Amino acid sequence: MADNDEFVDPGTEYTWLVETSDDGADWWQELHPVHGSRESGGMEFARNAEELAAAVLGRRFAALHGDEIYDWEELWFRVTVWNHRAVSDWAGPHQPPYGLEQARTTPQTHGMYLKANKAEPHAVEVRVPRQVRDGVWKAHVKAAASGAATSR
């Protein structure tokens, strides 16, 4: 509830998955040479799938800016987003159990499960290396403007 007791819609719950690629053809969940497996998936509420995909990429680019070890400058990034309720409700008798509990997955791994079982996504955003570098630079400028520490 908002301060004035009006209902604030939290949005729809979505599952998302971030993947990287060297060439835009073969995709994998991001592995970091120092930090190990980064958070490559999750679940959260948003107004729509496209907005969430852009937000997830923005957060990833902000994290990449401060990372001086990981060689990300020539990687492609892809975010796939599924409406959690829609894929859970869609599963029929001959379909995998798409729901989080029935699939025995966690919020961080549910996107990998949905992808492996060919659940149709609600949004897919892809960034080529030039767009990644531009997104990281914009994250740097935004952090600098807000007074946040920048290291790169």
mmCIF file of all heavy atoms in Angstrom, residues 10-27:
data_model
loop_
_atom_site.group_PDB
_atom_site.id
_atom_site.type_symbol
_atom_site.label_atom_id
_atom_site.label_comp_id
_atom_site.label_asym_id
_atom_site.label_seq_id
_atom_site.Cartn_x
_atom_site.Cartn_y
_atom_site.Cartn_z
ATOM 1 N N PRO A 10 2.195 -4.289 -7.897
ATOM 2 C CA PRO A 10 3.612 -4.638 -7.987
ATOM 3 C C PRO A 10 4.004 -5.094 -9.389
ATOM 4 O O PRO A 10 5.171 -5.299 -9.669
ATOM 5 C CB PRO A 10 3.760 -5.782 -6.985
ATOM 6 C CG PRO A 10 2.412 -6.422 -6.964
ATOM 7 C CD PRO A 10 1.429 -5.292 -7.166
ATOM 8 N N GLY A 11 3.034 -5.277 -10.259
ATOM 9 C CA GLY A 11 3.321 -5.754 -11.605
ATOM 10 C C GLY A 11 3.110 -7.251 -11.691
ATOM 11 O O GLY A 11 2.440 -7.864 -10.862
ATOM 12 N N THR A 12 3.707 -7.827 -12.695
ATOM 13 C CA THR A 12 3.599 -9.257 -12.960
ATOM 14 C C THR A 12 4.925 -9.904 -12.598
ATOM 15 O O THR A 12 5.980 -9.311 -12.771
ATOM 16 C CB THR A 12 3.288 -9.469 -14.453
ATOM 17 O OG1 THR A 12 2.074 -8.776 -14.763
ATOM 18 C CG2 THR A 12 3.130 -10.929 -14.788
ATOM 19 N N GLU A 13 4.863 -11.140 -12.135
ATOM 20 C CA GLU A 13 6.094 -11.847 -11.794
ATOM 21 C C GLU A 13 6.678 -12.503 -13.036
ATOM 22 O O GLU A 13 5.989 -13.191 -13.778
ATOM 23 C CB GLU A 13 5.835 -12.902 -10.721
ATOM 24 C CG GLU A 13 7.115 -13.508 -10.182
ATOM 25 C CD GLU A 13 6.881 -14.398 -8.982
ATOM 26 O OE1 GLU A 13 5.770 -14.955 -8.845
ATOM 27 O OE2 GLU A 13 7.810 -14.538 -8.184
ATOM 28 N N TYR A 14 7.957 -12.262 -13.245
ATOM 29 C CA TYR A 14 8.671 -12.789 -14.402
ATOM 30 C C TYR A 14 9.889 -13.578 -13.956
ATOM 31 O O TYR A 14 10.469 -13.325 -12.908
ATOM 32 C CB TYR A 14 9.143 -11.654 -15.313
ATOM 33 C CG TYR A 14 8.026 -10.915 -15.990
ATOM 34 C CD1 TYR A 14 7.522 -9.747 -15.443
ATOM 35 C CD2 TYR A 14 7.482 -11.387 -17.174
ATOM 36 C CE1 TYR A 14 6.493 -9.063 -16.066
ATOM 37 C CE2 TYR A 14 6.454 -10.706 -17.796
ATOM 38 C CZ TYR A 14 5.960 -9.550 -17.241
ATOM 39 O OH TYR A 14 4.941 -8.877 -17.855
ATOM 40 N N THR A 15 10.279 -14.532 -14.787
ATOM 41 C CA THR A 15 11.525 -15.272 -14.643
ATOM 42 C C THR A 15 12.451 -14.779 -15.742
ATOM 43 O O THR A 15 12.020 -14.607 -16.880
ATOM 44 C CB THR A 15 11.279 -16.788 -14.815
ATOM 45 O OG1 THR A 15 10.365 -17.231 -13.814
ATOM 46 C CG2 THR A 15 12.570 -17.571 -14.711
ATOM 47 N N TRP A 16 13.715 -14.537 -15.404
ATOM 48 C CA TRP A 16 14.659 -14.063 -16.411
ATOM 49 C C TRP A 16 15.946 -14.871 -16.380
ATOM 50 O O TRP A 16 16.298 -15.485 -15.372
ATOM 51 C CB TRP A 16 14.957 -12.574 -16.252
ATOM 52 C CG TRP A 16 15.443 -12.144 -14.896
ATOM 53 C CD1 TRP A 16 14.674 -11.708 -13.861
ATOM 54 C CD2 TRP A 16 16.786 -12.122 -14.413
ATOM 55 N NE1 TRP A 16 15.454 -11.404 -12.775
ATOM 56 C CE2 TRP A 16 16.759 -11.649 -13.094
ATOM 57 C CE3 TRP A 16 18.007 -12.457 -14.975
ATOM 58 C CZ2 TRP A 16 17.908 -11.508 -12.326
ATOM 59 C CZ3 TRP A 16 19.161 -12.313 -14.206
ATOM 60 C CH2 TRP A 16 19.094 -11.845 -12.898
ATOM 61 N N LEU A 17 16.638 -14.856 -17.532
ATOM 62 C CA LEU A 17 17.893 -15.580 -17.698
ATOM 63 C C LEU A 17 18.840 -14.726 -18.533
ATOM 64 O O LEU A 17 18.473 -14.257 -19.611
ATOM 65 C CB LEU A 17 17.644 -16.912 -18.416
ATOM 66 C CG LEU A 17 18.870 -17.746 -18.781
ATOM 67 C CD1 LEU A 17 19.577 -18.248 -17.518
ATOM 68 C CD2 LEU A 17 18.464 -18.913 -19.666
ATOM 69 N N VAL A 18 20.061 -14.513 -18.035
ATOM 70 C CA VAL A 18 21.097 -13.791 -18.775
ATOM 71 C C VAL A 18 22.078 -14.810 -19.327
ATOM 72 O O VAL A 18 22.533 -15.704 -18.609
ATOM 73 C CB VAL A 18 21.868 -12.805 -17.862
ATOM 74 C CG1 VAL A 18 23.006 -12.139 -18.621
ATOM 75 C CG2 VAL A 18 20.938 -11.770 -17.283
ATOM 76 N N GLU A 19 22.402 -14.652 -20.612
ATOM 77 C CA GLU A 19 23.388 -15.522 -21.245
ATOM 78 C C GLU A 19 24.388 -14.665 -22.004
ATOM 79 O O GLU A 19 24.092 -13.525 -22.367
ATOM 80 C CB GLU A 19 22.711 -16.480 -22.220
ATOM 81 C CG GLU A 19 21.750 -17.433 -21.532
ATOM 82 C CD GLU A 19 20.960 -18.235 -22.538
ATOM 83 O OE1 GLU A 19 20.104 -17.645 -23.217
ATOM 84 O OE2 GLU A 19 21.225 -19.442 -22.635
ATOM 85 N N THR A 20 25.563 -15.220 -22.261
ATOM 86 C CA THR A 20 26.593 -14.528 -23.029
ATOM 87 C C THR A 20 27.007 -15.391 -24.210
ATOM 88 O O THR A 20 26.740 -16.595 -24.244
ATOM 89 C CB THR A 20 27.827 -14.220 -22.159
ATOM 90 O OG1 THR A 20 28.274 -15.426 -21.562
ATOM 91 C CG2 THR A 20 27.519 -13.204 -21.095
ATOM 92 N N SER A 21 27.656 -14.740 -25.171
ATOM 93 C CA SER A 21 28.103 -15.440 -26.375
ATOM 94 C C SER A 21 29.320 -14.734 -26.941
ATOM 95 O O SER A 21 29.467 -13.519 -26.804
ATOM 96 C CB SER A 21 26.967 -15.442 -27.414
ATOM 97 O OG SER A 21 27.414 -15.977 -28.640
ATOM 98 N N ASP A 22 30.170 -15.501 -27.605
ATOM 99 C CA ASP A 22 31.310 -14.927 -28.321
ATOM 100 C C ASP A 22 30.911 -14.450 -29.713
ATOM 101 O O ASP A 22 31.568 -13.589 -30.284
ATOM 102 C CB ASP A 22 32.431 -15.956 -28.491
ATOM 103 C CG ASP A 22 33.141 -16.255 -27.184
ATOM 104 O OD1 ASP A 22 33.272 -15.339 -26.361
ATOM 105 O OD2 ASP A 22 33.561 -17.411 -27.008
ATOM 106 N N ASP A 23 29.841 -15.046 -30.255
ATOM 107 C CA ASP A 23 29.515 -14.800 -31.654
ATOM 108 C C ASP A 23 28.023 -14.585 -31.937
ATOM 109 O O ASP A 23 27.635 -14.402 -33.091
ATOM 110 C CB ASP A 23 30.009 -15.967 -32.509
ATOM 111 C CG ASP A 23 29.419 -17.300 -32.060
ATOM 112 O OD1 ASP A 23 28.513 -17.320 -31.198
ATOM 113 O OD2 ASP A 23 29.878 -18.338 -32.589
ATOM 114 N N GLY A 24 27.186 -14.624 -30.932
ATOM 115 C CA GLY A 24 25.752 -14.460 -31.140
ATOM 116 C C GLY A 24 25.054 -15.728 -31.594
ATOM 117 O O GLY A 24 23.852 -15.713 -31.846
ATOM 118 N N ALA A 25 25.774 -16.827 -31.679
ATOM 119 C CA ALA A 25 25.178 -18.092 -32.116
ATOM 120 C C ALA A 25 25.121 -19.103 -30.973
ATOM 121 O O ALA A 25 24.100 -19.757 -30.778
ATOM 122 C CB ALA A 25 25.964 -18.671 -33.290
ATOM 123 N N ASP A 26 26.201 -19.245 -30.250
ATOM 124 C CA ASP A 26 26.269 -20.199 -29.132
ATOM 125 C C ASP A 26 26.200 -19.423 -27.831
ATOM 126 O O ASP A 26 27.069 -18.594 -27.549
ATOM 127 C CB ASP A 26 27.580 -21.002 -29.195
ATOM 128 C CG ASP A 26 27.673 -21.831 -30.458
ATOM 129 O OD1 ASP A 26 26.675 -22.493 -30.798
ATOM 130 O OD2 ASP A 26 28.733 -21.804 -31.108
ATOM 131 N N TRP A 27 25.191 -19.714 -27.006
ATOM 132 C CA TRP A 27 24.943 -18.970 -25.772
ATOM 133 C C TRP A 27 25.193 -19.851 -24.560
ATOM 134 O O TRP A 27 24.958 -21.056 -24.600
ATOM 135 C CB TRP A 27 23.498 -18.471 -25.747
ATOM 136 C CG TRP A 27 23.230 -17.491 -26.837
ATOM 137 C CD1 TRP A 27 22.756 -17.767 -28.083
ATOM 138 C CD2 TRP A 27 23.452 -16.087 -26.788
ATOM 139 N NE1 TRP A 27 22.664 -16.615 -28.808
ATOM 140 C CE2 TRP A 27 23.075 -15.573 -28.048
ATOM 141 C CE3 TRP A 27 23.917 -15.217 -25.814
ATOM 142 C CZ2 TRP A 27 23.154 -14.220 -28.343
ATOM 143 C CZ3 TRP A 27 23.996 -13.872 -26.122
ATOM 144 C CH2 TRP A 27 23.612 -13.379 -27.370
#
